[in-house]
Amino acid sequence: MVSMKQAATKAGDTEKITINLGYVDLGHIDLLVSEGVYANRSDFIRTAIRNQIDRHAEITRQSVARKSVELGLRHFRRAELETLQSAGEMLDIRVLGLAVIAPDVPAELARATIASIEVLGSLQASPAVREALADRVR
């Protein structure tokens, strides 16, 4: 099992998000940065998010167990999906983290082998695969 505390270490291991903050909250962050408590705004925000994740770790653990969610990074390669197709099987994908459907997976193969997909985090797939699975994404 992947630890919920694992931090991304490379730029490719992260996803950019945008948030809106009030001026006073932003001022507090800038003050803490100027005092050297945090390296920059992003450092503060990442730390705050990790603290909240830690604070609610038990809720997350229970939910992951109840929903049979895979934690971390999960790759779905063409060969794996072709094997499933040959066996007449389909996947119900549930990932908390990053799910990657390999770039060489044709949309038809994805549609033939993925019954449903729920990703709490980020899904990387070609535009064609995303379109083919649009009605199966929760």
Side-chain angles (χ1 to χ4, degrees), residues 77-91 109 112-113:
R77 293 179 172 79
R78 183 177 186 150
E80 176 186 2
L81 297 181
E82 288 172 342
T83 300
L84 286 168
Q85 186 178 35
S86 295
E89 297 176 11
M90 293 189 77
L91 289 172
L109 178 60
T113 56

Side-chain angles (χ1 to χ4, degrees), residues 27-41:
H28 280 102
I29 294 169
D30 286 344
L31 176 65
L32 292 169
V33 169
S34 72
E35 291 295 320
V37 178
Y38 296 96
N40 51 46
R41 290 174 173 176

Side-chain angles (χ1 to χ4, degrees), residues 12 41-42 48 52-53 70 81 99 111 129 132 136:
R41 290 174 173 176
S42 292
Q52 288 302 305
I53 289 169
E70 292 183 64
L81 297 181
R111 184 133 181 100
V129 167
R136 299 175 186 194

Side-chain angles (χ1 to χ4, degrees), residues 12-115:
D13 292 342
T14 63
E15 184 161 327
K16 184 175 284 227
I17 63 169
T18 302
I19 63 170
N20 296 315
L21 291 174
Y23 299 117
V24 174
D25 291 338
L26 187 57
H28 280 102
I29 294 169
D30 286 344
L31 176 65
L32 292 169
V33 169
S34 72
E35 291 295 320
V37 178
Y38 296 96
N40 51 46
R41 290 174 173 176
S42 292
D43 183 33
F44 172 88
I45 293 166
R46 279 191 299 272
T47 301
I49 290 168
R50 287 184 193 123
N51 288 340
Q52 288 302 305
I53 289 169
D54 285 347
R55 181 177 177 196
H56 300 290
E58 182 60 22
I59 294 168
T60 301
R61 187 193 61 73
Q62 290 174 5
S63 181
V64 165
R66 186 176 61 253
K67 295 181 179 185
S68 300
V69 175
E70 292 183 64
L71 291 176
L73 172 63
R74 177 65 161 89
H75 283 275
F76 298 92
R77 293 179 172 79
R78 183 177 186 150
E80 176 186 2
L81 297 181
E82 288 172 342
T83 300
L84 286 168
Q85 186 178 35
S86 295
E89 297 176 11
M90 293 189 77
L91 289 172
D92 289 305
I93 297 171
R94 289 181 194 87
V95 174
L96 188 154
L98 174 63
V100 178
I101 300 173
D104 66 341
V105 171
E108 303 78 31
L109 178 60
R111 184 133 181 100
T113 56
I114 299 173

Side-chain angles (χ1 to χ4, degrees), residues 3-14:
S3 168
M4 293 295 291
K5 291 184 179 182
Q6 284 185 330
T9 57
K10 297 181 291 190
D13 292 342
T14 63

Side-chain angles (χ1 to χ4, degrees), residues 101 107 110-111 114-115 117 123 128-137:
I101 300 173
R111 184 133 181 100
I114 299 173
I117 185 163
L123 170 64
V129 167
R130 284 179 175 274
E131 184 177 327
L133 297 176
D135 64 331
R136 299 175 186 194
V137 175

